[in-house]
Amino acid sequence: MAFQVKEISTKPFEGQKPGTSGLRKRVKVFQQEHYTENFVQAIFDSIKAEGATLVIGGDGRYFSLETVQTILRIGSANAVAKFIVGKDAILSTPAASNIIRKYKADGGILLTASHNPGGPDNDFGIKYNVSNGGPAPENVTNKIYEKTKTIQKYKIIEAPAVDLSKIGDFTYGPTKVSVIDSVADYLILLKSIFDFPLIQSFLDAHISDYRVLFDGLHGVTGPYAKEILVGTLGLPEASVQNCVPLPDFGGGHPDPNLTYARSLVDAVEKNEIQFGAASDGDGDRNMIYGKGAFVNPSDSLAIIANWAHVIPYFQKNGVKGLARSMPTSKAIDLVAKKKGLECFEVPTGWKFFGNLMDAGRLSICGEESFGTGSDHIREKDGLWAVMAWLNIIAAANAKSPNKLIGINDLLLAHYEEYGRSFFSRYDYEEVPSEGANALVAHINDALKTGSLINTTHKSPSTSTEFTVSNIYNFEYTDPIDKSVSSNQGQVITFSDGSRVVFRLSGTGSQGATVRMYVERYVPPEAGAAELARDAADGLKGLIEVALEITKLKEFLGRDEPTVIT
């Protein structure tokens, strides 16, 4: 079929700098004339587009369908050989990572803003993943950014839109387009990792006293969860809710935490459901929540690592190493030490885990932001974590014929063996950038002058005293490529081993988000009652001291955080 390549004159837009999570802006920003086209062309100018095979998918948010057609038009004009596209432009981030790896694609373009709200007045994002299935490293994103600053033209072909609702192979100008089932390959992957017969046997045996509920929050994982839980494991339809992906996520905030996943929390508590779970907009985050049983992400990571021996994938491949992002609690460090495994502390960003995985030194890892995963792909994976928990619960109950083992039982058993890292994260979202920067400067000043070292502070409500032992900015030297990542978070440590971490987040589209992470370790010998305390109660004194010495409320003008997890 004949086609004509057109060159369209354009000029650069300011601020098209992608991070690990891609370029995220309001939809209306992307809808500006030439804005999306410029960024897409910059991607193709930064990679070897000619002859490449690329994957396209996303979380189905508003403006995705139009952008897929833009990518096809520009990609074809830049001589891309083949596009693999999820049906209806749907591919969860972990599913896309799997497709890139399975079909040996050169990379992928994901249309997602992860856990951020969608709709015409909310967020959109474009993210580039490389051939290992993981987020583009800085040398690639920096190259894309440089291209956006000098772009003068982009190339397109004029051709009818590809019907993304039909699975099959199509020709689009000089390019082949393969529209694939969004779920099938991912389900095959999970079946190769987990003990589905064991899980099904457990669920069948406890159909009346161990119910499951998954909440898709109207994000991308709905069809995946429905096929896994209902179609494959045979659970009733009532085991899934909010599992139809919607462009605006049903008007909600598709972030699986206690604040934004109230639809799950309320249903679990009301109906006394033993195992609840949720995932975010693009499917790479997870929350595990049963009746009266919330699993914080740091504990979830540690428990999965501790029970890895019951998961077939790790039985076959072994566990090469463990890792966590720096703000994540040190619970997994204790598991690594007991099992004699290498354990890495890395900056926030999945690309740091990817380097270790590609080098064969890492199997299981996670971030406190409800992201957990393994080396089966190069992204965090929400449904992987959900299935890991079901596999572990099924295995635990296979050894406990007379007592039903639930989420809380696993948590308490873990604390009795390893102790407990009481952990919480306070998110202050969309605060003024000036206040956020002033907070960072205040902590940096204390770091430089040493003014807080050895000072003791008493909690007003608990009378507990905390003595500051150190303040530092976290810096990471990658053991694989030797790259250095500086200023990755400010850490205040105390003489009892407690710590508080402060980070400015780059995952929002406007304003600043300040995250405060608080951790206090209690050893096993403290006893069951102390280990089982509510996290907020166990951390109350430390949080009060952290807020006092940093003057956070004063700088941010907020009395309370937006989200507490």
Side-chain angles (χ1 to χ4, degrees), residues 230-273:
V230 179
T232 303
L233 292 173
L235 291 175
E237 289 276 351
S239 298
V240 297
Q241 67 179 24
N242 300 324
C243 279
V244 176
L246 297 175
D248 65 349
F249 306 114
H253 193 144
D255 198 355
N257 58 50
L258 295 173
T259 299
Y260 294 129
R262 291 305 308 180
S263 53
L264 174 75
V265 172
D266 292 346
V268 164
E269 293 297 337
K270 177 183 177 183
N271 301 309
E272 299 189 349
I273 290 169

Side-chain angles (χ1 to χ4, degrees), residues 113-173:
S114 185
H115 53 289
N116 293 358
D121 296 317
N122 284 307
D123 292 353
F124 187 71
I126 302 178
K127 172 183 174 184
Y128 184 71
N129 279 31
V130 291
S131 60
N132 75 345
E138 284 186 2
N139 65 323
V140 176
T141 56
N142 286 342
K143 191 173 182 182
I144 294 171
Y145 180 46
E146 291 305 316
K147 294 290 184 181
T148 68
K149 294 193 292 186
T150 60
I151 190 169
Q152 298 297 318
K153 62 184 180 182
Y154 59 85
K155 295 188 287 187
I156 63 167
I157 67 165
E158 293 292 348
V162 176
D163 186 349
L164 301 176
S165 68
K166 294 181 179 178
I167 293 173
D169 295 322
F170 308 93
T171 299
Y172 190 83

Side-chain angles (χ1 to χ4, degrees), residues 3 50 187 212 258 501 549:
F3 62 93
E50 186 174 355
L187 178 58
V212 172
L258 295 173
V501 177
I549 64 178

Side-chain angles (χ1 to χ4, degrees), residues 73-373:
R73 294 172 71 200
I74 296 177
S76 184
N78 283 271
V80 170
K82 183 178 182 180
F83 282 112
I84 303 172
V85 189
K87 181 177 179 291
D88 298 318
I90 291 287
L91 275 179
S92 75
T93 291
S97 181
N98 176 52
I99 294 293
I100 292 169
R101 295 171 64 79
K102 181 173 182 176
Y103 295 104
K104 296 179 169 57
D106 296 286
I109 300 176
L110 306 187
L111 307 178
T112 173
S114 185
H115 53 289
N116 293 358
D121 296 317
N122 284 307
D123 292 353
F124 187 71
I126 302 178
K127 172 183 174 184
Y128 184 71
N129 279 31
V130 291
S131 60
N132 75 345
E138 284 186 2
N139 65 323
V140 176
T141 56
N142 286 342
K143 191 173 182 182
I144 294 171
Y145 180 46
E146 291 305 316
K147 294 290 184 181
T148 68
K149 294 193 292 186
T150 60
I151 190 169
Q152 298 297 318
K153 62 184 180 182
Y154 59 85
K155 295 188 287 187
I156 63 167
I157 67 165
E158 293 292 348
V162 176
D163 186 349
L164 301 176
S165 68
K166 294 181 179 178
I167 293 173
D169 295 322
F170 308 93
T171 299
Y172 190 83
T175 306
K176 295 185 182 302
V177 177
S178 181
V179 179
I180 64 169
D181 184 295
S182 303
V183 177
D185 288 295
Y186 182 74
L187 178 58
I188 291 169
L189 175 67
L190 289 192
K191 283 184 173 180
S192 74
I193 294 172
F194 299 109
D195 193 337
F196 270 68
L198 177 68
I199 297 168
Q200 183 156 12
S201 175
F202 167 72
L203 294 174
D204 288 348
H206 293 277
I207 196 161
S208 62
D209 62 351
Y210 201 86
R211 288 178 298 161
V212 172
L213 177 64
F214 178 86
D215 194 325
L217 302 179
H218 289 301
V220 75
T221 53
Y224 296 84
K226 190 171 183 180
E227 182 60 33
I228 294 163
L229 297 175
V230 179
T232 303
L233 292 173
L235 291 175
E237 289 276 351
S239 298
V240 297
Q241 67 179 24
N242 300 324
C243 279
V244 176
L246 297 175
D248 65 349
F249 306 114
H253 193 144
D255 198 355
N257 58 50
L258 295 173
T259 299
Y260 294 129
R262 291 305 308 180
S263 53
L264 174 75
V265 172
D266 292 346
V268 164
E269 293 297 337
K270 177 183 177 183
N271 301 309
E272 299 189 349
I273 290 169
Q274 289 77 17
F275 185 91
S279 190
D280 70 328
D282 72 327
D284 63 0
R285 300 182 180 208
N286 75 93
M287 181 173 75
I288 306 298
Y289 183 90
K291 168 70 175 175
F294 167 64
V295 186
N296 83 53
S298 301
D299 286 345
S300 180
L301 173 62
I303 289 171
I304 291 172
N306 194 46
W307 282 83
H309 59 279
V310 305
I311 297 173
Y313 179 86
F314 299 115
Q315 292 171 350
K316 177 182 177 182
N317 300 301
V319 177
K320 304 178 185 73
L322 306 175
R324 60 173 173 83
S325 64
M326 181 273 290
T328 303
S329 96
K330 297 183 179 182
I332 195 172
D333 301 44
L334 302 172
V335 176
K337 184 177 181 180
K338 183 168 184 177
K339 294 182 178 294
L341 295 170
E342 198 171 20
C343 190
F344 300 91
E345 180 183 44
V346 308
T348 297
W350 210 258
K351 62 183 178 181
F352 297 104
F353 295 133
N355 274 2
L356 294 164
M357 290 175 182
D358 288 346
R361 292 175 66 179
L362 175 60
S363 294
I364 300 171
C365 58
E367 298 176 336
E368 41 56 51
S369 57
F370 294 83
T372 324

Side-chain angles (χ1 to χ4, degrees), residues 536-547:
D537 185 40
L539 290 169
K540 188 175 183 181
L542 181 58
I543 289 170
E544 288 175 351
V545 166
L547 293 174

